[in-house]
Amino acid sequence: MRRLIAPLTALLLLTAGCAPAHTGTLGPAPAGASRTAGTTPTGAGRTPATVSPTTRPSTPAAPTGVEEPSPDGTVTLQLWFTRGGKLVPTRRTLPATPATSRLALTELAAGPSLAETATGMTTLVPAGTQVSRIAGGVATLVPSAGFDGDDAASVRLRRAQVVWTLTQFPTVRRVAFAPNDTAPGARGDFADLLPPIVVTGPAIGDRITSPVTVTGTADVFEATVSARVLDATGREVGTAFTTATCGSGCRGDYRVRVGYRLDRTGPGTIEVYEVSARDGSRINVVTVPVVLTAGG
């Protein structure tokens, strides 16, 4: 019997030692909040949306990959521009091509659209930067002239744009900025260049219907992320909140559905923000201009 107990005890200790370390905290939910799904337009109360929290903070890893070409021969790419010295994402739907990395770098160099520029987006990536090869999860760049010619902060932000854009592809985990680069950059190397709240959907200019699903990542107090819908006059027509999978010192994913009521289709805004623990004001606000479809 003792011969059986000893191996069993060792196995249990080994299993316990392999458990993932728990870092970060979800923090308490807002007073009166539950984890039950549901959102309501303004006037019916502000309710939390469904979230599946985990004890492991969300690390800035690459997504599952760029979308496959659609039946109409297009592909949707995520591009990372800059705003106020931070990284911000947007999307492009373009004709599909086998050279998606080249397409992504070309779009980065072309810069934001007029609507995106109006929100403060810009790009630091010059034209001519290309990928020479992708092997072993590393994309090696042929930078254009002057790629590393600015001040250190601008160069780092430019590199972050490239790394976060190229690592959306499942074949790319890191980016080398020269053939002999011994320390290729990964997303985590530039995680500090993300703002407290990142909105990955909807994108600027999207046409949305009620309820709209708002997604992204956040590192905010008690992981609480709020979202609201504003009509063309700035009137709040829907609001909801949720908790990210991590917060207060670590970045987590969030997903919240916001219902709204609107009589006429027209321009509007999705506003995602954190409620200040000090005075209850809206802080770290991210605005996304969209087209609101009537209904709700």
Side-chain angles (χ1 to χ4, degrees):
M1 178 62 71
R2 282 181 294 181
R3 291 180 181 177
L4 292 176
I5 290 175
L8 179 59
T9 302
L11 178 61
L12 290 174
L13 291 173
L14 178 61
T15 303
C18 293
H22 290 183
T23 57
T25 176
L26 287 174
S34 69
R35 303 299 175 115
T36 306
T39 62
T40 53
T42 296
R46 188 165 174 269
T47 57
T50 300
V51 66
S52 299
T54 66
T55 54
R56 180 175 58 84
S58 175
T59 54
T64 54
V66 66
E67 291 183 16
E68 293 296 323
S70 64
D72 64 355
T74 62
V75 64
T76 299
L77 303 178
Q78 186 180 72
L79 304 176
W80 288 82
F81 291 128
T82 73
R83 181 167 56 209
K86 297 292 186 179
L87 292 169
V88 288
T90 190
R91 289 198 304 265
R92 291 281 188 279
T93 298
L94 302 161
T97 172
T100 49
S101 60
R102 178 183 300 175
L103 179 63
L105 289 175
T106 298
E107 289 298 312
L108 275 186
S113 66
L114 290 177
E116 291 162 347
T117 300
T119 70
M121 287 188 185
T122 188
T123 186
L124 298 176
V125 178
T129 300
Q130 298 182 19
V131 173
S132 62
R133 68 189 182 104
I134 299 175
V138 178
T140 301
L141 256 63
V142 180
S144 59
F147 187 92
D148 289 331
D150 293 331
D151 60 277
S154 296
V155 170
R156 186 166 183 261
L157 190 54
R158 178 181 298 124
R159 289 189 172 206
Q161 279 190 255
V162 173
V163 168
W164 275 75
T165 296
L166 291 184
T167 52
Q168 74 185 283
F169 305 117
T171 55
V172 180
R173 296 188 301 275
R174 295 177 296 158
V175 177
F177 289 88
N180 298 319
D181 189 350
T182 58
R187 284 197 166 195
D189 298 325
F190 304 97
D192 60 300
L193 293 176
L194 296 175
I197 296 175
V198 172
V199 179
T200 55
I204 292 173
D206 279 0
R207 187 183 183 93
I208 65 172
T209 57
S210 179
V212 56
T213 299
V214 183
T215 60
T217 67
D219 180 357
V220 293
F221 180 68
E222 293 186 342
T224 304
V225 180
S226 299
R228 62 179 188 156
V229 179
L230 308 177
D231 67 12
T233 68
R235 179 175 62 95
E236 183 181 288
V237 294
T239 183
F241 69 89
T242 189
T243 51
T245 54
C246 197
S248 295
C250 58
R251 182 166 294 272
D253 301 313
Y254 70 84
R255 183 182 186 90
V256 58
R257 286 161 57 91
V258 189
Y260 67 88
R261 293 193 183 100
L262 202 63
D263 296 331
R264 181 179 301 177
T265 296
T269 303
I270 305 297
E271 191 175 87
V272 188
Y273 58 94
E274 174 186 2
V275 176
S276 171
R278 183 177 61 181
D279 58 15
S281 61
R282 287 187 291 273
I283 60 175
N284 297 319
V285 179
V286 180
T287 58
V288 182
V290 295
V291 177
L292 302 176
T293 302

